Amino acid sequence: MAESASDNVTRRTRGLDRAFEILEFLRVKRQPMRPNEIAAEIGAPRSSVYELVNLLLGHGMLDYQGGDGRIFLGRRLYFLGTAYAEEFDLMRECARMLVQLAEETRETAQMCLLEGNKYTVAMMREGIRPFRISSNVGERVAIPWTASGRLLVSHLSDHEILDLIPPEDFVLPNGRTLDPADFIAQVRAATRDGYFTFNSEVENFTHCFAVPIYQGDNTCIATLCLVAPREDGLRHRTAYLDSLLNAAHEISEKLGFTSRPRRVSSSRV
């Protein structure tokens, strides 16, 4: 009897994992798909995917969209996300800070996170400029391609970093391969400095700034970032970093992190 109950719990756990996998797959795909297409893409038995899809449809986590039996994320997820945003202080505080940073610097401000083994922009406030610099919120990007990536993995050991990042993600958008040892050295330097800046690997004309948001156990759980035209970013480097560091320090303090706010020397490049 005990063994049967244990098997039942295991099956339910696997079913729950698969249900989350379906939701995450659709979030990343960002388009309605048929259950058989989803099953083929995620390598799951078609029968179990159909069963879970029907269950998720019944709970409003999925809705039919686009005809031909296609499904996509349901409206109930919107209400869950709204409740999450209302109660999670980090998101609310970061939203306020992004407005402040965009107004102070006139540049595009972002709050970024790790999502599995990728980087993603979770929130963004566009700068006040005649031309638009922005990113797709929620798009998953290779960690080594980003300034934030050097900070978001800073709590991991060298071995854990290499286990986390797929080898192909060290191939940069321009085709150059970043030596993993060089990336790890940049991670450690960024941790010591308390920030990381570089010319974007994704957009040729931009310069990126990232500073860490720490929680009480000294783990970087998010970053605040600025994305500026390259020349302006280099010209205002010290001012932009000071604005970011002050904002991140204020949020980190509210999460239980205790440290003096950092300042950037104008002589550093």
Side-chain angles (χ1 to χ4, degrees):
M1 178 72 89
E3 186 176 16
S4 176
S6 176
D7 290 344
N8 193 30
V9 169
T10 300
R11 283 194 297 272
R12 288 184 178 181
T13 301
R14 288 175 180 168
L16 186 60
D17 286 342
R18 186 71 77 189
F20 283 127
E21 186 178 6
I22 292 169
L23 294 172
E24 177 64 11
F25 173 77
L26 288 171
R27 188 193 73 81
V28 172
K29 274 292 187 181
R30 295 180 179 269
Q31 65 182 40
M33 296 184 70
R34 300 183 186 90
N36 64 317
E37 294 172 332
I38 296 172
E41 290 274 0
I42 68 176
R46 189 176 301 181
S47 58
S48 65
V49 168
Y50 271 98
E51 182 180 354
L52 288 168
V53 163
N54 287 330
L55 183 64
L56 292 168
L57 284 166
H59 285 283
M61 300 297 179
L62 295 176
D63 286 332
Y64 285 110
Q65 287 190 27
D68 298 327
R70 298 177 188 273
I71 56 164
F72 195 60
L73 302 177
R75 69 191 71 184
R76 191 168 184 183
L77 290 173
Y78 169 78
F79 295 113
L80 291 174
T82 300
Y84 173 82
E86 287 175 354
E87 295 302 320
F88 191 35
D89 286 345
L90 175 62
M91 304 301 287
R92 184 164 58 248
E93 286 297 316
C94 285
R96 178 176 66 84
M97 284 301 182
L98 294 185
V99 172
Q100 177 180 310
L101 286 167
E103 291 177 350
E104 280 182 10
T105 66
R106 300 179 69 248
E107 309 294 358
T108 295
Q110 300 173 340
M111 180 267 224
C112 305
L113 301 167
L114 277 188
E115 186 180 342
N117 63 359
K118 303 293 182 184
Y119 149 100
T120 190
V121 177
M123 305 176 73
M124 181 175 66
R125 182 80 176 193
E126 290 185 8
I128 308 169
R129 281 189 170 275
F131 58 93
R132 185 170 177 262
I133 296 179
S134 64
S135 301
N136 293 327
V137 173
E139 182 179 355
R140 302 172 82 234
V141 177
I143 292 170
W145 295 11
T146 69
S148 290
R150 274 74 176 170
L151 296 161
L152 291 168
V153 299
S154 60
H155 62 288
L156 301 176
S157 68
D158 294 0
H159 181 73
E160 288 171 331
I161 290 173
L162 296 179
D163 281 347
L164 174 69
I165 301 175
E168 60 270 20
D169 284 5
F170 287 101
V171 180
L172 303 177
N174 62 6
R176 179 174 67 88
T177 298
L178 174 62
D179 187 333
D182 291 341
F183 175 77
I184 290 173
Q186 292 169 2
V187 169
R188 303 309 172 208
T191 304
R192 290 191 300 269
D193 292 341
Y195 56 84
F196 190 81
T197 76
F198 74 163
N199 293 327
S200 173
E201 296 288 356
V202 179
E203 297 288 352
N204 291 331
F205 61 91
T206 62
H207 193 78
C208 301
F209 302 79
V211 302
I213 295 173
Y214 290 108
Q215 60 185 15
D217 63 358
N218 296 351
T219 299
C220 173
I221 58 169
T223 59
L224 292 180
C225 312
L226 287 174
V227 184
R230 186 169 296 180
E231 290 186 2
D232 287 350
L234 293 173
R235 182 182 306 116
H236 301 293
R237 180 179 184 276
T238 300
Y240 286 0
L241 277 173
D242 282 341
S243 292
L244 280 170
L245 288 165
N246 289 333
H249 178 75
E250 183 176 330
I251 296 173
S252 297
E253 275 194 325
K254 293 179 179 180
L255 292 172
F257 177 73
T258 56
S259 177
R260 294 181 64 183
R262 294 175 182 263
R263 302 291 293 179
V264 182
S265 169
S266 60
S267 64
R268 295 197 62 176
V269 178

